[in-house]
Amino acid sequence: MTRHTDTAVATDLTLRWLVRGTTATAAILLLTAVFDIWPFKPLASTGTAMLLLAAAVTIEVSRRSGWRSHRIHHRWAGMLTGLGILGTLIAISGVGQAWPIPMFGLGLGALTVGSTWMILARYRSTPEGVDNHGVMTNPTMNRGAAGWMLGILMTGFYVLVYWYPSALDGLVRTTDWLSWAMRGRAADHWFMYSLVYTLAVAVFGIRAWYRYRHVKYQRLRTLSVVFVQVILAFVLPSILVLFQQPEFYFSYFWPLKWTYLWPGDYGMGWILADSGRLGMFMIGWGAIMSFVATPILTYYYGKRWYCSWVCGCGAMAETMGDPYRHLAPRSTASWQLERWMIHGSLLVIVVATAVLWINSATEGAMLGSLSGAFAQTYGFLFGSIWAGVIGVGFYPFLGTRIWCRYGCPMAAILGLQQRFFSRFRITTNGGQCISCGNCSAYCEMGIDVRWYAQRGQNIVRASCVGCGICSSVCPRGVLKLENGPADGRLGRPVLVEWEDVDILSGYD
Amino acid sequence: MHVVIIGNGIAGITAARFVRKNGDARLTIVSSETEYHVARTALMYAYMGDLRESDLKPYEDDFWTKNRMELVLDHATDLDTAARSVQLASGRRLTYDRLVLATGSRPNRFGWQGEYLDGVQGLYAWSDLKTMQRVTEGITDAVVVGGGLIGIELVEMLRSRSIDVHFLVRETAYMDHLFSRDESELIHRQIDRHGVHLHLGCEVDRFEDDGNGRVAAVTTRDGRSFPAAFAGIGVGVHPRTELAEAAGIETNKGILVDRSFRTSAPDVFAAGDCAEFRRPLVDGRTIEQLWYSARRQGRILGLILSGKDLSYDTPVFYNSAKFFDLEYQTYGSVPATDDAGLETRAWQDGTRLVRVARRADTGALAGVTGFGIRLRHDVAATWIRAARRATFSGQDVRELAFDPEFTSLPHNDIARELSAWT
Ligand SMILES: Cc1cc2nc3c(=O)[nH]c(=O)nc-3n(C[C@H](O)[C@H](O)[C@H](O)COP(=O)(O)OP(=O)(O)OC[C@H]3O[C@@H](n4cnc5c(N)ncnc54)[C@H](O)[C@@H]3O)c2cc1C
Ligand code: SF4
Ligand code: SF4
């Protein structure tokens, strides 16, 4: 039996269990609703149960049909997705407040189920292996009219979330049921936003899984980012809220989440304020992760352990961003700009942290009341505009890692360490490179991987997030991400460019 | 010193780069194909929409000015070795101190009836890509002739646009001169899985005209006919020698050179696909037509032009390819059948296969090939050069493997299987 059918059988079995599990959960939820025996409101339980059932039926129908008629699937799935988009817009227009549950089903619910279905229909029926055919000619993925529309929609959504949340109230209300279920209180726009974000990561995580399913590194990495986003960045913070604790994200650390180590009201004050011991643990966790675990992990694995396995920004880039990774600017000029900007950003955050602490230690002698304004301005510029609006909204314009490349202070630190003090490298397989350019084209960090590979040189770059896509798309098996001994990983070009002799030439 | 290079392929460009690395010579590179150097190995990816056309340029456009190389988009029509000058189609005339002919290859044609109809073509140059894009627009049927590496690339390209393809291969198994039966079969399965109609042992007779000078069908010797609005030909290439020949430089199949790339004319060198060595390289080969060999030849030639005293020798042979989703890498010599003093053993599991070859007399490792498995170049080449014994431990296999992290390989089983010589 070939590996291909092995995976197919295993996937089929997994899907069966998924259907059973989902149906059982839905049944239990319905029972709790009927007898009203759960902290959840019956409303919430019924809503959840209905959605789970819908998902179970969709998966089961698709599974049984064996995905042979994928064109038909595609059409239905496309219609459902379209309905979802329409429903979401209608919900926002105000209908969401009036009929929250039905509008959730017709809006975000239909969108989630429809797009998942579309992805399954597209990829389950095609053979395993890299399939980037048409990526560079598809207008949605290449700044065509559809791409522009998508970019404007996404950017617009961010602008509303950050500055005009009340405009989204219709949509927020459709997520109330889930917020009640998970957090014991009504939803606010941040809850709705996290939900949308998490759904996007999960659904497009399925897409990434299928696209790269022939590479185990990609399967595990995709599982990791989806798991972290769903559990550590969505479910766990909600549960903390349910138990009256501060909403803390265990997968974010200073300096990316700068406020976790900022003093007083701008930062950890709010954690400590009302949560005693757990609050202390959170602060401790944050500090240890920032200053102890991070350097150790980065030494052994490179910055990838965080940037493409854990981080939520990375999770979005690797899943929903996957269709746009080739849009990353890749000129030398963009690289120079990147180095200035990202290290500048790190400098700003280090100085800001120091200043805020000095200011707080001297009880405001330094900045006085200005420190509040300072913290706010920083949050506005970096947190909202940079990381959010441009960072994600601009995917269809500038690719997926704009924030990671030009703004993220965490990426800057990890990158410096990766460049100068780490065991991670991408090894080039001798002289096998044919300069085809697939690696460079699909590197979301805009690294000219080919430049190194065609000279037979290992790739050791501060910005590489270790997504492994260059290795997956290389048609000649030239690239391998490795954690080897630290010495000898830079060195001179090994095989191709060695001046007079090389070990393969017969001149030594 | 003025070095003029005809041909901006990998051989010419690499020679130029190494001349620049080692000195200040004036460099002029002439090509009539494209303004900038492009990787012809990636033509298929541009066609399939995996890559933008600009992605095929291995260097940014300002690389050439930065490195003071003048690029001339023009055709060299005439060469006067006595006057040391090259005539270009535009009327410009270049005089040189050293001339490099890196003119590459041209696809073969075998004089079939109708082989120059519209829609019948090979795939070699940039213009072939452009023509193919144009003539395959909206078509539903195509034929590809020739079971080589370019043939299967043509098939994959057409399939990416859901065009129905009949793939006509003369041999009874795909590339049977290079692959053993089990290996060819792996590839047959790939071809099958991608919905291609493979016809083995099938020879072309003629290309049928649709009445307007465009191909309509391909007829085979055994009288079958396949509809085709496009017919791709991948039956090998031959060195491009016309410029050298007209100038009276000695040629055979290719432009004849010694191991320092000198042609019969003073200060005229030739390298890459177009060059033919007077004295055979290993295995009796006199012409190398690979990206890798052209790059290597260009490098050594660049060093020679910079005054280094070197002569060319092939390294441990290596090559790689991809057949749809199946990756292939090979090092050293691994024959299709046990002969010429070489015997082979293979480990196979589904679509993954490793084959090693050893010398029958000494038991020394002669080569190793992997399908669906990546092998580490420096390890394989070092072992082969050192003529180590062809028996392996699990640890050896681990060292040799180059697959991405987390790939599960039964290293010990592979080692046992490959070491069990009888
Ligand atoms: C589709 C395709 C895929 C391939 N894939 C692989 C692969 O995977 N691995 C591998 O090892 N090899 C591969 N090859 C083979 C490899 O590309 C060639 O061996 C290599 O490119 C030869 O390089 P070169 O510099 O000698 O010649 P070329 O690349 O052919 O360059 C010669 C240049 O000179 C120009 N020229 C010729 N005469 C004149 C003139 N009179 N005036 C001006 N310009 C002139 C030509 O137009 C051309 O641009 C592939 C080839 C093709 C066509
Ligand atoms: S170099 Fe490769 S692994 Fe690193 S970010 Fe680019 S594509 Fe990902
Ligand atoms: S994808 Fe592979 S073969 Fe192509 S340029 Fe990159 S390393 Fe070289």
Side-chain angles (χ1 to χ4, degrees):
Chain A
M1 187 186 285
T2 67
R3 272 194 307 159
H4 176 61
T5 48
D6 267 350
T7 350
V9 169
T11 323
D12 195 62
L13 213 66
T14 320
L15 285 179
R16 269 170 206 246
W17 280 107
L18 199 66
V19 169
R20 280 174 210 167
T22 318
T23 318
T25 320
I28 295 170
L29 278 175
L30 275 180
L31 281 178
T32 65
V34 171
F35 296 104
D36 199 5
I37 45 160
W38 196 259
F40 302 158
K41 291 185 157 187
L43 179 71
S45 307
T46 320
T48 320
M50 288 309 177
L51 279 173
L52 288 178
L53 276 178
V57 169
T58 315
I59 299 174
E60 184 61 15
V61 169
S62 312
R63 194 185 66 76
R64 291 212 181 159
S65 74
W67 306 95
R68 272 180 295 274
S69 49
H70 71 278
R71 260 164 232 253
I72 300 172
H73 274 288
H74 218 97
R75 186 169 322 136
W76 284 102
M79 273 159 58
L80 193 59
T81 312
L83 178 76
I85 295 173
L86 203 67
T88 308
L89 293 176
I90 294 174
I92 294 176
S93 77
V95 185
Q97 283 102 325
W99 291 298
I101 292 264
M103 283 322 292
F104 181 86
L106 291 174
L108 290 181
L111 194 54
T112 308
V113 175
S115 43
T116 310
W117 190 4
M118 242 165 98
I119 287 162
L120 292 177
R122 162 75 174 77
Y123 288 103
R124 289 231 28 179
S125 56
T126 56
E128 287 180 24
V130 183
D131 179 357
N132 282 331
H133 308 335
V135 167
M136 298 297 184
T137 48
N138 180 316
T140 319
M141 296 189 244
N142 286 284
R143 309 183 186 127
W148 273 92
M149 248 160 63
L150 195 68
I152 291 169
L153 262 179
M154 284 165 62
T155 311
F157 177 73
Y158 269 87
V159 169
L160 292 182
V161 170
Y162 280 116
W163 296 296
Y164 307 100
S166 59
L168 291 171
D169 196 50
L171 189 59
V172 175
R173 296 285 72 80
T174 70
T175 63
D176 265 340
W177 63 274
L178 187 66
S179 184
W180 277 108
M182 295 177 68
R183 320 192 304 163
R185 63 175 72 165
D188 54 13
H189 63 287
W190 290 124
F191 177 79
M192 179 276 294
Y193 168 66
S194 315
L195 175 64
V196 170
Y197 196 99
T198 305
L199 285 175
V201 168
V203 170
F204 282 87
I206 298 175
R207 180 178 180 276
W209 169 282
Y210 273 108
R211 269 176 74 72
Y212 305 111
R213 65 192 184 276
H214 56 296
V215 185
K216 196 164 173 194
Y217 181 79
Q218 299 300 354
R219 293 206 303 272
L220 293 176
R221 199 173 58 77
T222 304
L223 267 185
S224 171
V225 288
V226 172
F227 171 83
V228 172
Q229 178 58 37
V230 174
I231 305 299
L232 297 191
F234 184 64
V235 175
L236 203 59
S238 295
I239 291 176
L240 288 171
V241 171
L242 185 66
F243 289 97
Q244 317 289 325
Q245 297 295 333
E247 195 168 19
F248 188 83
Y249 301 88
F250 287 91
S251 50
Y252 287 99
F253 323 110
W254 186 92
L256 173 53
K257 195 89 179 168
W258 46 85
T259 51
Y260 281 8
L261 286 185
W262 275 7
D265 294 345
Y266 329 112
M268 52 207 238
W270 61 272
I271 302 176
L272 287 173
D274 52 6
S275 58
R277 238 182 249 158
L278 188 59
M280 289 305 288
F281 172 75
M282 289 168 179
I283 302 284
W285 166 262
I288 289 176
M289 286 309 295
S290 293
F291 299 115
V292 183
T294 293
I296 294 177
L297 288 166
T298 308
Y299 173 73
Y300 281 105
Y301 305 111
K303 83 204 263 190
R304 56 182 170 153
W305 77 268
Y306 191 69
C307 296
S308 66
W309 283 74
V310 171
C311 178
C313 309
M316 187 59 122
E318 299 296 338
T319 52
M320 200 175 85
D322 185 66
Y324 309 102
R325 57 172 68 247
H326 58 282
L327 297 179
R330 56 195 67 251
S331 63
T332 317
S334 69
W335 176 26
Q336 276 149 358
L337 179 70
E338 173 184 334
R339 288 194 291 181
W340 276 103
M341 288 190 63
I342 194 165
H343 297 127
S345 161
L346 176 62
L347 195 70
V348 170
I349 198 81
V350 171
V351 170
T353 306
V355 167
L356 285 173
W357 274 103
I358 296 171
N359 191 54
S360 119
T362 55
E363 285 167 17
M366 210 170 142
L367 289 174
S369 57
L370 271 181
S371 62
F374 172 82
Q376 264 182 358
T377 312
Y378 188 87
F380 173 77
L381 278 179
F382 278 74
S384 313
I385 299 212
W386 217 178
V389 177
I390 299 178
V392 180
F394 279 25
Y395 275 10
F397 306 138
L398 289 173
T400 53
R401 291 275 192 174
I402 308 157
W403 159 250
C404 315
R405 283 178 72 185
Y406 297 98
C408 177
M410 180 95 175
I413 289 199
L414 299 184
L416 286 172
Q417 197 193 330
Q418 167 160 294
R419 175 70 180 70
F420 297 108
F421 188 64
S422 166
R423 294 160 62 92
F424 173 69
R425 91 290 309 275
I426 302 177
T427 306
T428 291
N429 199 12
Q432 288 283 18
C433 175
I434 52 169
S435 298
C436 70
N438 276 290
C439 52
S440 296
Y442 288 97
C443 175
E444 58 190 343
M445 300 306 283
I447 297 173
D448 194 356
V449 185
R450 165 172 55 188
W451 171 265
Y452 302 87
Q454 66 190 359
R455 314 166 78 214
Q457 192 174 8
N458 290 350
I459 297 109
V460 178
R461 279 280 293 264
S463 64
C464 169
V465 292
C467 64
I469 294 296
C470 53
S471 161
S472 303
V473 300
C474 171
R476 292 294 180 274
V478 175
L479 305 163
K480 177 167 157 63
L481 283 65
E482 287 186 302
N483 322 300
D487 32 281
R489 78 184 176 128
L490 289 160
R492 56 182 166 175
V494 271
L495 293 168
V496 182
E497 299 259 320
W498 219 323
E499 285 296 300
D500 299 308
V501 289
D502 66 29
I503 58 162
L504 307 177
S505 69
Y507 294 121
D508 48 340
Chain B
M1 187 169 75
H2 186 198
V3 179
V4 174
I5 297 173
I6 310 296
N8 69 352
I10 183 69
I13 290 301
T14 312
R17 281 182 43 237
F18 277 84
V19 168
R20 177 52 72 242
K21 266 187 171 210
N22 292 285
D24 241 12
R26 180 174 158 215
L27 277 162
T28 308
I29 304 168
V30 182
S31 169
S32 47
E33 184 180 4
T34 48
E35 183 178 3
Y36 295 102
H37 167 56
V38 295
R40 67 176 80 264
T41 48
L43 289 175
M44 67 181 297
Y45 299 106
Y47 178 88
M48 300 193 299
D50 290 41
L51 295 177
R52 293 158 288 224
E53 289 180 355
S54 61
D55 293 324
L56 269 55
K57 290 188 277 191
Y59 299 93
E60 270 189 69
D61 293 351
D62 61 1
F63 176 85
W64 311 103
T65 40
K66 273 192 204 154
N67 286 286
R68 287 170 292 120
M69 299 181 190
E70 190 195 342
L71 304 182
V72 180
L73 180 63
D74 209 333
H75 192 71
T77 51
D78 211 359
L79 162 59
D80 183 341
T81 54
R84 292 175 178 254
S85 71
V86 182
Q87 180 62 48
L88 304 184
S90 65
R92 191 170 162 192
R93 202 174 181 81
L94 293 168
T95 49
Y96 62 82
D97 298 305
R98 304 270 190 286
L99 179 72
V100 173
L101 299 173
T103 49
S105 307
R106 260 192 220 285
N108 291 336
R109 304 260 180 160
F110 289 139
W112 293 299
Q113 182 189 329
E115 66 180 355
Y116 288 105
L117 288 169
D118 268 358
V120 183
Q121 68 167 90
L123 178 71
Y124 191 86
W126 187 258
S127 57
D128 295 331
L129 168 69
K130 296 274 117 189
T131 326
M132 185 167 168
Q133 278 167 339
R134 184 166 47 77
V135 298
T136 55
E137 191 74 56
I139 69 166
T140 52
D141 299 281
V143 165
V144 172
V145 179
L149 295 173
I150 304 289
I152 201 163
E153 284 189 5
L154 280 163
V155 170
E156 186 174 351
M157 289 158 77
L158 295 162
R159 285 306 294 155
S160 76
R161 303 203 177 176
S162 303
I163 296 167
D164 206 39
V165 185
H166 289 274
F167 187 18
L168 315 186
V169 175
R170 191 184 52 186
E171 295 75 25
T172 54
Y174 179 80
M175 288 188 77
D176 61 0
H177 61 290
L178 206 64
F179 297 148
S180 63
R181 198 68 200 200
D182 46 355
E183 293 167 347
S184 294
E185 259 152 30
L186 282 181
I187 299 165
H188 297 167
R189 255 183 276 155
Q190 280 288 328
I191 294 173
D192 200 43
R193 202 151 76 93
H194 286 84
V196 181
H197 314 287
L198 174 64
H199 305 280
L200 294 164
C202 180
E203 281 194 73
V204 175
D205 185 52
R206 59 185 189 275
F207 299 91
E208 311 284 356
D209 195 329
D210 74 343
N212 297 310
R214 166 122 194 208
V215 66
V218 178
T219 305
T220 62
R221 289 236 181 122
D222 53 16
R224 282 180 291 171
S225 176
F226 301 104
F230 173 84
I233 304 183
V235 290
V237 296
H238 62 272
R240 197 165 166 184
T241 56
E242 74 267 9
L243 188 61
E245 257 174 78
I249 294 174
E250 266 185 66
T251 59
N252 177 34
K253 277 196 200 115
I255 306 172
L256 286 169
V257 294
D258 64 13
R259 292 295 184 89
S260 303
F261 304 101
R262 283 171 213 284
T263 66
S264 61
D267 293 321
V268 179
F269 299 77
D273 275 25
C274 67
E276 177 178 347
F277 291 94
R278 292 175 192 273
R279 191 154 53 85
L281 303 158
V282 281
D283 301 341
R285 253 176 299 134
T286 53
I287 305 181
E288 296 182 313
Q289 287 165 318
L290 288 179
W291 181 263
Y292 308 119
S293 49
R295 184 178 64 196
R296 227 184 103 76
Q297 291 187 17
R299 172 162 68 94
I300 306 288
L301 172 56
L303 292 169
I304 290 173
L305 291 173
S306 314
K308 303 231 153 73
D309 181 22
L310 289 171
S311 79
Y312 180 78
D313 240 323
T314 14
V316 169
F317 178 80
Y318 66 97
N319 197 10
S320 56
K322 193 171 180 189
F323 308 102
F324 286 98
D325 300 318
L326 184 64
E327 286 179 22
Y328 158 71
Q329 297 184 335
T330 188
Y331 303 94
S333 15
V334 183
T337 47
D338 294 12
D339 67 354
L342 293 178
E343 46 188 25
T344 70
R345 277 199 70 79
W347 168 89
Q348 184 174 3
D349 172 31
T351 51
R352 298 188 293 182
L353 186 152
V354 190
R355 166 168 268 114
V356 291
R358 70 168 185 181
R359 307 209 179 280
D361 47 356
T362 60
L365 180 66
V368 54
T369 287
F371 283 86
I373 288 183
R374 298 176 178 179
L375 307 170
R376 222 176 261 270
H377 190 169
D378 55 350
V379 171
T382 309
W383 285 356
I384 294 167
R385 276 172 53 74
R388 67 160 271 169
R389 264 177 64 81
T391 51
F392 309 91
S393 67
Q395 186 52 35
D396 289 336
V397 175
R398 231 168 251 123
E399 247 176 68
L400 183 63
F402 194 73
D403 280 322
E405 293 160 301
F406 303 114
T407 306
S408 46
L409 263 190
H411 300 100
N412 294 331
D413 294 353
I414 298 177
R416 206 171 312 119
E417 191 67 38
L418 294 183
S419 305
W421 298 98
T422 44

